[in-house]
Amino acid sequence: MKIPTNNNQPPNGGGRNTPNILLPSRVIPDESDWIPINNVNEWRSDNQPYYARASFMKLCLPAVLYSLILNVSLKMLSLVPFTSSFRINVQQLHYDDSFVLPSTNGDDETTNPIAIVTGSNTGVGFQTATALVQRGYNVILACRSREKGEYAAKKINDQSNDRGDLLKQYGNASFLHPLDLSSFASIRAFCKVYSDKYSTLNILVNNAGINSQGDVTEDGLEMCFQSNFVGHFLLTKLLLPHLLKAKNKCNNNKEEAGRVVNLSSVTHHFAPANERLYDDTTDSSLSKDLPLNNGIHDKHFWLGSATPGLSNGTYRESKLASILFTMELNKRYGSQGLRSVAVDPGSVASDIWRDESQLMQNAYKMVYLTPKQGASTSIAASIGILPKDAIYLQPYLQWRLNKAQSSTKWPWYKVPNPTTEMLGKYIGYAITDPRLPNDGSGGYKSAQALWSVCEKITLKKIRVS
């Protein structure tokens, strides 16, 4: 897509060929919308060892070596008698640890619990939708192409029917309406069609994502950040009334409202707030609303993530945003029964790498998880009865147990060294503390800033000219 320019825009900094975007002042949140994040040195992301893109590249090779050595060692030990303590089993989500389904016919779309999975015609999303159908949920495949969505739904239903287990209650997969997360109009159209047919929503899995940057959406935002996060923010907001009406039953007779699952990534560890593309700090015409970053994940940082051309790390930033969004959803709507969980599917050989060379795709398949393995965290987060305050799941063995939570049967780890979350021993799913912005409030000030920016952006369409 050709990036348009506008002479009334913030400068492109040091002569860079950076796209310009018209940001009407009415879109910029007022200062009253924010809990201020003071510019204290210890809160700066450049004082935190992993909040730098260079750290990500440095840790890639150690992660590969660590994974190979660990997996080979554990495999060899498992073959030696009397070493059963070294055998690490993959976590399987048991029905006793999941929501209880109502006793209904799997084809009854009016009474079966309903789930929406975005980007579910392929990869991790497809496997997540398949597992939910086989658990008894009616799953709506929310993707851009009707043809691909309907084909995927048929494939899921055929797989379930072929299992031949007459005693098991299966759900049904269906395609309702195209959903393009890079278009606010498409998101609103999808939600309108959904609202006309359904009144509740049990599970929303915000799975879809892209890994390419540089394009601009029809709404004037950076393509990757809108497709991965801002679009899901708007989708979730529009579906909140349906989520709050839902009743997910636990086996202890307790109930939750709807469950929102947000796909994050190990790359959330590498979303610095002090690295932007432009570097001309002396230009007096630089927009006061988009200053050179001060190293803090505040309103300026998130506005910059949504603005084309100001960051080459919007994939990483979108994945940190998914975790902060999860926290803010729980803070705002937890008292009404809503529960939100962020997940890292792990390093997965999925269609997100379709723009890479065939050689690289083949290499990924050798060391990465399969889409079915990658879906394990999404499934556990969607229907699992999670311990209180658990907000983030990832699929690899870690070495720093959170002792305060050691009594739970769900493995719960402290914030890991990112090396062990890139690759490692696959264990299905485990609760892990995420790496949050050091804003003096455990990430909540940054989360509120993110929410306010997205709320303003989605309420007022930003124009590109």
Side-chain angles (χ1 to χ4, degrees), residues 38-226:
N38 297 323
N39 193 355
V40 180
N41 284 336
E42 61 265 27
W43 291 358
R44 291 173 58 86
S45 67
D46 48 352
N47 286 341
Q48 301 178 51
Y50 303 115
Y51 271 144
R53 296 186 185 99
S55 298
F56 177 76
M57 300 308 298
K58 291 177 182 176
L59 291 176
C60 285
L61 180 58
V64 172
L65 295 175
Y66 160 77
S67 183
L68 290 173
I69 293 170
L70 178 64
N71 282 293
V72 170
S73 299
L74 289 173
K75 180 65 175 179
M76 294 177 65
L77 285 170
S78 69
L79 299 175
V80 178
F82 313 113
T83 59
S84 59
S85 60
F86 292 101
R87 296 172 188 174
I88 301 173
N89 296 321
V90 175
Q91 289 278 112
Q92 300 289 342
L93 187 65
H94 297 290
Y95 282 84
D96 289 344
D97 299 324
S98 309
F99 291 140
V100 178
L101 294 177
S103 298
T104 61
N105 186 323
D107 293 328
D108 187 349
E109 294 188 5
T110 63
T111 56
N112 264 28
I114 303 170
I116 293 176
V117 183
T118 67
S120 44
N121 62 293
T122 187
V124 171
F126 176 83
Q127 295 296 338
T128 301
T130 300
L132 290 175
V133 167
Q134 293 174 355
R135 290 273 186 160
Y137 288 81
N138 288 329
V139 181
I140 294 171
L141 309 187
C143 41
R144 289 178 296 178
S145 168
R146 177 178 294 275
E147 180 182 3
K148 292 180 179 179
E150 290 177 345
Y151 175 79
K154 182 180 184 304
K155 187 176 179 180
I156 291 172
N157 292 329
D158 288 346
Q159 286 181 9
S160 299
N161 293 334
D162 289 344
R163 291 172 69 96
D165 187 352
L166 299 179
L167 298 178
K168 189 176 176 72
Q169 176 183 326
Y170 292 122
N172 180 70
S174 63
F175 180 86
L176 180 65
H177 190 272
L179 174 67
D180 182 354
L181 290 159
S182 68
S183 166
F184 293 160
S186 175
I187 296 168
R188 291 189 171 97
F190 175 87
C191 293
K192 174 66 166 59
V193 172
Y194 182 86
S195 299
D196 288 344
K197 186 172 184 179
Y198 302 100
S199 60
T200 64
L201 174 61
N202 296 80
I203 299 167
L204 172 62
V205 183
N206 291 322
N207 167 85
I210 62 174
N211 194 26
S212 58
Q213 300 179 156
D215 286 342
V216 181
T217 70
E218 66 180 47
D219 302 299
L221 303 184
E222 201 282 330
M223 177 67 76
C224 182
F225 196 74
Q226 177 169 338

Side-chain angles (χ1 to χ4, degrees), residues 268-303:
H268 85 273
H269 292 277
F270 308 100
N274 59 308
E275 297 176 17
R276 289 300 194 209
L277 290 179
Y278 57 91
D279 55 8
D280 186 355
T281 58
T282 63
D283 192 331
S284 60
S285 64
L286 186 66
S287 169
K288 64 182 177 63
D289 295 309
L290 296 170
L292 191 68
N293 275 88
N294 58 10
I296 298 174
H297 296 84
D298 59 6
K299 62 176 181 178
H300 303 295
F301 172 79
W302 294 116
L303 188 61

Side-chain angles (χ1 to χ4, degrees), residues 259-404:
R259 179 75 65 88
V260 179
V261 178
N262 297 308
L263 267 285
S264 184
S265 162
V266 64
T267 60
H268 85 273
H269 292 277
F270 308 100
N274 59 308
E275 297 176 17
R276 289 300 194 209
L277 290 179
Y278 57 91
D279 55 8
D280 186 355
T281 58
T282 63
D283 192 331
S284 60
S285 64
L286 186 66
S287 169
K288 64 182 177 63
D289 295 309
L290 296 170
L292 191 68
N293 275 88
N294 58 10
I296 298 174
H297 296 84
D298 59 6
K299 62 176 181 178
H300 303 295
F301 172 79
W302 294 116
L303 188 61
S305 297
T307 303
L310 296 187
S311 172
N312 63 4
T314 52
Y315 179 83
R316 300 176 178 96
E317 291 157 14
S318 71
K319 296 308 177 181
L320 176 60
S322 293
I323 297 174
L324 297 178
F325 181 46
T326 295
M327 294 167 54
E328 193 68 12
L329 278 171
N330 289 329
K331 179 182 176 182
R332 289 171 181 255
Y333 300 101
S335 62
Q336 299 179 56
L338 185 79
R339 182 76 184 269
S340 184
V341 186
V343 302
D344 169 16
S347 298
V348 181
S350 69
D351 279 2
I352 199 170
W353 307 111
R354 56 185 171 268
D355 293 331
E356 298 279 354
S357 68
Q358 191 60 50
L359 178 63
M360 291 303 300
Q361 291 185 48
N362 291 337
Y364 293 150
K365 289 178 181 179
M366 294 176 62
V367 296
Y368 283 5
L369 303 179
T370 66
K372 187 172 183 178
Q373 290 174 320
S376 61
T377 53
S378 293
I379 297 162
S382 296
I383 59 177
I385 303 173
L386 292 160
K388 182 182 178 182
D389 299 329
I391 63 165
Y392 183 65
L393 303 183
Q394 60 82 38
Y396 297 115
L397 174 70
Q398 304 299 325
W399 302 104
R400 299 178 65 233
L401 185 68
N402 189 329
K403 293 182 180 179

